Amino acid sequence: MKWEKLFATQIVERGYEYYCEGMVDSFEVTVEGIHGLVMGSEEYDVSISLVQGDVDEMSCSCPYARSGKHCKHMAAMLFAWSSQTGDLERTSKWRIDDDGDFQSRLAEIDGLAEEADSETVRSFLKGVLAADERWYHRFCQTVKQDDEEDELLDYRLILDALVHEYAGDGGFIDYKEAGDFANELHDILDEDVAELIEKGKYRLAFAVVNHLLFVLNDLAIDDSGGEIDMVADTIYETWGRLLLNVNL
């Protein structure tokens, strides 16, 4: 679809996730365009005008779009529209192929794990954790889940190691790396922090988000593609989820 080119790759990805998760609450299509609601930390009002079947102008009530940028809520609405017009299969074909490759790789890994004895797995794991600081702290966080102070320390170390991986000793992330770095932060918010909220660990989730914000505030990055704004939008939505679950 032509409209995909209007978005940064990571925005299209997140819009597709929102569509698949049923976050498009309602929408209607007229000759003039598309209008509907997409769920985030609250309901966002999305309007998209069409000219001869092509996307012309878009607006959304979310903080990210207010600065004039194309957001994931717009992309989610367009995926819903593509589904209605029968274009979704062509639009998302490369994602379906990627998913098949991923499932094939999982099956291959499962077979290798079955073949390996416990000593081989243990030895390999020790080597990987010794060579990669971020995965070492990730493993610590996975194993030690009873003490929230220890968990918070590991999350902080994971974020710090992530910054060092992308920024290096120079302490700067250039525009070529900014998108991948932002996607890593999105994964932490959408997976790790979301899991903490689901487990009722609200104080820990809030502390992790705050440290992430502290890291971003001190970070030197060329975010000419709006990567930090996108992460800030996800932080805003995460705070919204936290507020919904905490009695003030």
Side-chain angles (χ1 to χ4, degrees):
M1 290 292 293
K2 296 179 181 178
W3 62 259
E4 284 187 296
K5 298 178 182 178
L6 300 173
F7 298 85
T9 300
Q10 57 264 37
I11 292 291
V12 177
E13 287 286 350
R14 293 179 59 71
Y16 185 66
E17 290 172 6
Y18 264 48
Y19 163 72
C20 291
E21 292 168 5
M23 304 297 273
V24 180
D25 188 46
S26 62
F27 76 102
E28 59 178 354
V29 182
T30 65
V31 176
E32 290 78 18
I34 309 162
H35 177 263
L37 300 173
V38 179
M39 295 299 298
S41 56
E42 57 187 77
E43 281 190 340
Y44 294 116
D45 195 347
V46 179
S47 293
I48 301 170
S49 64
L50 301 173
V51 175
Q52 296 181 340
D54 290 330
V55 173
D56 182 28
E57 296 182 350
M58 296 183 283
S59 66
C60 178
S61 59
C62 77
Y64 181 70
R66 287 177 198 151
S67 61
K69 296 171 182 174
H70 296 161
C71 68
K72 60 192 173 188
H73 309 108
M74 298 170 183
M77 185 71 69
L78 287 169
F79 275 116
W81 175 54
S82 296
S83 176
Q84 187 181 73
T85 59
D87 290 334
L88 181 60
E89 183 176 351
R90 184 167 63 255
T91 302
S92 59
K93 183 177 185 303
W94 63 274
R95 293 178 182 81
I96 294 170
D97 291 343
D98 281 354
D99 184 65
D101 291 342
F102 178 71
Q103 294 301 326
S104 176
R105 177 63 60 83
L106 281 181
E108 183 180 350
I109 292 172
D110 190 47
L112 288 170
E114 287 292 329
E115 292 178 14
D117 58 64
S118 60
E119 186 57 39
T120 300
V121 173
R122 186 183 298 273
S123 176
F124 180 79
L125 180 61
K126 286 165 63 177
V128 169
L129 297 181
D132 192 309
E133 182 182 4
R134 183 150 62 100
W135 278 108
Y136 166 72
H137 293 301
R138 172 72 71 181
F139 186 71
C140 289
Q141 184 273 325
T142 302
V143 172
K144 301 182 295 186
Q145 296 192 12
D146 296 328
D147 191 321
E148 288 199 359
E149 288 298 321
D150 283 346
E151 279 193 83
L152 177 57
L153 176 60
D154 284 320
Y155 275 118
R156 286 176 173 172
L157 292 171
I158 287 168
L159 287 168
D160 293 345
L162 180 63
V163 170
H164 186 266
E165 178 182 330
Y166 280 88
D169 294 332
F172 176 75
I173 301 177
D174 65 26
Y175 73 96
K176 295 178 182 178
E177 300 287 342
D180 289 338
F181 175 71
N183 284 337
E184 297 258 24
L185 297 182
H186 284 305
D187 288 343
I188 289 172
L189 288 164
D190 290 342
E191 297 175 13
D192 294 88
V193 176
E195 184 178 355
L196 292 175
I197 294 173
E198 196 173 311
K199 290 179 177 179
K201 296 183 176 183
Y202 306 125
R203 187 183 298 275
L204 177 56
F206 186 74
V208 172
V209 174
N210 279 0
H211 185 69
L212 194 159
L213 196 61
F214 175 79
V215 167
L216 289 180
N217 187 57
D218 283 352
L219 186 63
I221 181 172
D222 179 353
D223 63 335
S224 51
E227 288 83 6
I228 296 303
D229 284 344
M230 284 182 266
V231 175
D233 183 42
T234 304
I235 288 174
Y236 175 82
E237 291 191 352
T238 303
W239 276 336
R241 288 197 293 271
L242 279 165
L243 290 173
L244 288 174
N245 284 281
V246 176
N247 294 320
L248 299 178

